[in-house]
Amino acid sequence: MNREYQMIRTIVVDDSALIRQMLTEMLNDAPDIEVVDTAHDPYDAREKIKAHNPDVITLDVEMPKMDGITFLRNIMRLRPMPVLMVSSLTQDGAEVTLEALEIGAVDYVAKPQVNVASEFQDYAREIQDKVRMAASARVTASSRPAGEKRSAGSVLPKRRPGDLKSTERLIALGASTGGTEALRHVLEQLPPDSPGVVITQHIPQEFSRAFANRMDGTCAVTVTEAQHGQRIIPGHVYVAPGNRHLTVKRDGARYTCQLHDGDPVNRHRPSVDVLFRSVANEAGKNAVAALLTGMGDDGARGMKELHELGAYTVAQNEETSVVWGMPGTAVEMEAVSDTLALDRIAEALLGRARQST
């Protein structure tokens, strides 16, 4: 058969024979993906990776002989390559998956539910799309040594909410694929007197609180999962809960978080476009915003609305993005004030947010 596209050669690594079979069937059903082999544990996978040199591997988080995290560290140290983690949507699964993304995994997908036939096709399309995305992603291993934990508390203590005054300034961030690590990079550069920050990251509801807690442990700012009606104050970061839209509402000189269960926008709930639209409506040019790495185009239209109101807007550049979909679309739409490398975004946002209007 003549094919006009490059096949994405994939290895499926999972200790369950049934899961290996399911994932193989789903991926092979795509015309541009070929499962060249499967492996039942990391030692088996190591030999098959050497033999086939795949474009992408799917990796189970929990396996015998060597867990997926340890194996992923070895891959990223010896032969960095696109890895898609297959994870259970549980609290434990969330913690391990976020660690995998920190180490260098491109993205994650939930384990398939073998007893839900009606969702088979939807799941198949999701994992096919994520394997395609992984094949074209920029893979970078974490520069943080294994086991190293950063804590800003020894340098700058966190302020209590009662010590803080309200502010009209607001920072809005949006991200998707690769975003958990990009957001960590930005948030760790923010000082404890930073303007309030609102974030929409495409993430399952089982993961959003774990993500916020993980960020809170490494940053000088206080990071929490947003609650409905919560006041937005300096030095605090509010992460949209998975499966709920986060918007901002102005109340005098204050902003508050509002959560909504509306329909998905751009196939996402939470949606970056929804957040950015609310920021445009309620804060206008008093806000600054950044659109970070992510697949698709969510957030680009909302960023254009902010830009047209005079707000300072930034897109992460292509060279430092895992996937330059969302920020790339914003650039194409002429919705950005600057296109910057990831390590320059926090400084740029703070500089503009602190300028007088």
Side-chain angles (χ1 to χ4, degrees):
M1 179 184 297
N2 292 326
R3 294 188 174 93
E4 298 179 353
Y5 36 72
Q6 184 70 37
M7 295 294 286
I8 301 170
R9 303 170 73 255
T10 307
I11 289 179
V12 173
V13 185
D14 199 292
D15 66 320
S16 165
L18 179 58
I19 297 296
R20 292 198 302 273
Q21 179 184 351
M22 288 183 66
L23 296 183
T24 297
E25 291 177 1
M26 291 175 181
L27 294 174
N28 280 340
D29 193 49
D32 55 339
I33 301 173
E34 177 187 9
V35 177
V36 295
D37 215 332
T38 65
H40 56 81
D41 65 40
Y43 295 97
D44 184 29
R46 183 175 58 188
E47 298 306 314
K48 290 176 176 176
I49 289 170
K50 291 178 182 177
H52 296 287
N53 192 29
D55 301 304
V56 178
I57 69 169
T58 71
L59 179 60
D60 185 15
V61 168
E62 298 178 357
M63 290 182 296
K65 297 185 179 179
M66 182 191 298
D67 65 88
I69 291 295
T70 301
F71 184 51
L72 178 64
R73 288 194 190 279
N74 291 338
I75 290 174
M76 291 302 162
R77 179 171 53 87
L78 300 173
R79 187 195 181 285
M81 62 183 300
V83 176
L84 180 65
M85 303 302 292
V86 181
S87 168
S88 60
L89 291 180
T90 64
Q91 183 66 33
D92 289 343
E95 295 289 349
V96 175
T97 303
L98 291 169
E99 183 177 0
L101 295 174
E102 182 176 311
I103 294 167
V106 172
D107 204 353
Y108 56 88
V109 65
K111 274 188 173 292
Q113 299 297 310
V114 297
N115 59 342
V116 185
S118 62
E119 296 181 1
F120 186 93
Q121 290 302 322
D122 288 342
Y123 183 90
R125 283 192 291 271
E126 179 185 10
I127 194 169
Q128 290 166 8
D129 287 345
K130 290 200 171 187
V131 165
R132 292 186 186 103
M133 175 276 302
S136 61
R138 292 170 182 80
V139 178
T140 56
S142 173
S143 59
R144 182 174 297 186
E148 180 187 355
K149 300 291 184 182
R150 291 182 181 173
S151 175
S154 60
V155 179
L156 293 169
K158 291 183 179 180
R159 297 182 180 178
R160 298 185 302 276
D163 296 334
L164 300 170
K165 298 178 181 180
S166 64
T167 179
E168 292 188 356
R169 295 299 189 174
L170 190 65
I171 297 174
L173 304 175
S176 185
T177 309
T180 56
E181 281 306 289
L183 286 167
R184 176 179 65 81
H185 194 93
V186 172
L187 296 180
E188 286 184 343
Q189 296 183 60
L190 298 181
D193 61 348
S194 164
V197 181
V198 286
I199 292 175
T200 286
Q201 159 75 40
H202 297 160
I203 198 167
Q205 64 186 90
E206 296 86 356
F207 285 20
S208 54
R209 180 166 297 179
F211 170 64
N213 291 342
R214 193 176 185 87
M215 293 301 96
D216 187 56
T218 70
C219 301
V221 287
T222 298
V223 185
T224 62
E225 186 181 53
Q227 299 177 28
H228 187 69
Q230 189 173 18
R231 180 181 164 193
I232 297 171
I233 56 179
H236 285 62
V237 178
Y238 307 86
V239 178
N243 206 34
R244 302 197 76 187
H245 291 304
L246 171 62
T247 64
V248 171
K249 182 176 178 60
R250 189 180 183 95
D251 179 13
R254 303 174 180 177
Y255 300 112
T256 60
C257 296
Q258 303 290 310
L259 302 180
H260 302 276
D261 298 320
D263 292 337
V265 174
N266 304 319
R267 299 189 301 172
H268 296 289
R269 188 173 62 207
S271 162
V272 183
D273 266 335
V274 171
L275 175 63
F276 283 2
R277 163 69 64 83
S278 75
V279 173
N281 289 345
E282 302 296 317
K285 64 180 182 179
N286 284 324
V288 297
L291 195 54
L292 307 181
T293 174
M295 181 170 59
D297 61 3
D298 186 34
R301 294 168 187 82
M303 176 164 275
K304 187 170 180 65
E305 293 179 14
L306 280 162
H307 185 63
E308 290 175 343
L309 289 171
Y312 178 69
T313 57
V314 176
Q316 184 178 349
N317 69 1
E318 185 172 7
E319 292 75 15
T320 62
S321 294
V322 174
V323 180
W324 206 55
M326 289 160 50
T329 302
V331 171
E332 291 174 1
M333 293 178 63
E334 299 182 345
V336 305
S337 308
D338 279 320
T339 303
L340 300 175
L342 180 61
D343 61 5
R344 295 182 56 200
I345 290 176
E347 181 182 9
L349 293 176
L350 283 170
R352 290 302 184 100
R354 287 171 168 166
Q355 289 180 2
S356 60
T357 56

